[in-house]
Amino acid sequence: VTLHLNPISSVHIHQKPLVFLLNSPLPLVWKLKTERLAPGIRRVFFVSLGSVVQFEKGNFSLSAETKEKLFPEKNEHLLQWAQKEYGAVTSFTELKISRNIYIKVGE
């Protein structure tokens, strides 16, 4: 699955930390494609067990972390865990089948 990350239109370059929970019932390769995300900013990608994140060439991967996590089974529990762990959830998306996911990040 290719994850496309771009800032919202009112943000020229996104310069804040991000945390993503990438959950799948089967192990996946998450291919990351980014545009206009500032280098050197901490970004964390939690992935379900057996999954990996592949970064594009460049220095984005130097400030990004990938961590395997056993996620709660139900989405409601996953959402509760994320809210407890990080205090807020700005976006939650559930897809049954997809090859590309487009996410706008911003304020």
Side-chain angles (χ1 to χ4, degrees):
V1 175
T2 302
L3 184 61
H4 302 264
L5 302 178
N6 302 301
I8 59 175
S9 61
S10 61
V11 174
H12 182 63
I13 304 238
H14 189 269
Q15 300 188 39
K16 293 189 175 181
L18 295 168
V19 176
F20 290 91
L21 309 179
L22 304 174
N23 190 21
S24 172
L26 298 172
L28 285 179
V29 174
W30 296 91
K31 295 179 182 179
L32 200 61
K33 295 202 178 242
T34 64
E35 287 183 32
R36 299 182 356 251
L37 300 185
I41 305 295
R42 185 171 184 247
R43 295 176 181 102
V44 181
F45 297 87
F46 286 99
V47 296
S48 45
L49 299 179
S51 293
V52 296
V53 177
Q54 288 181 347
F55 299 98
E56 293 178 291
K57 293 179 180 174
N59 60 2
F60 185 84
S61 63
L62 297 176
S63 59
E65 299 173 51
T66 302
K67 299 179 181 182
E68 280 189 75
K69 173 113 181 104
L70 179 59
F71 289 116
E73 246 181 72
K74 297 194 179 275
N75 284 336
E76 300 83 32
H77 298 137
L78 178 60
L79 189 55
Q80 289 170 354
W81 175 84
Q83 288 172 326
K84 181 180 173 189
E85 190 75 17
Y86 293 99
V89 173
T90 57
S91 177
F92 184 90
T93 304
E94 178 184 10
L95 302 167
K96 297 291 183 195
I97 298 174
S98 183
R99 290 180 186 240
N100 291 283
I101 300 171
Y102 296 85
I103 298 179
K104 297 281 188 185
V105 296
E107 304 300 321

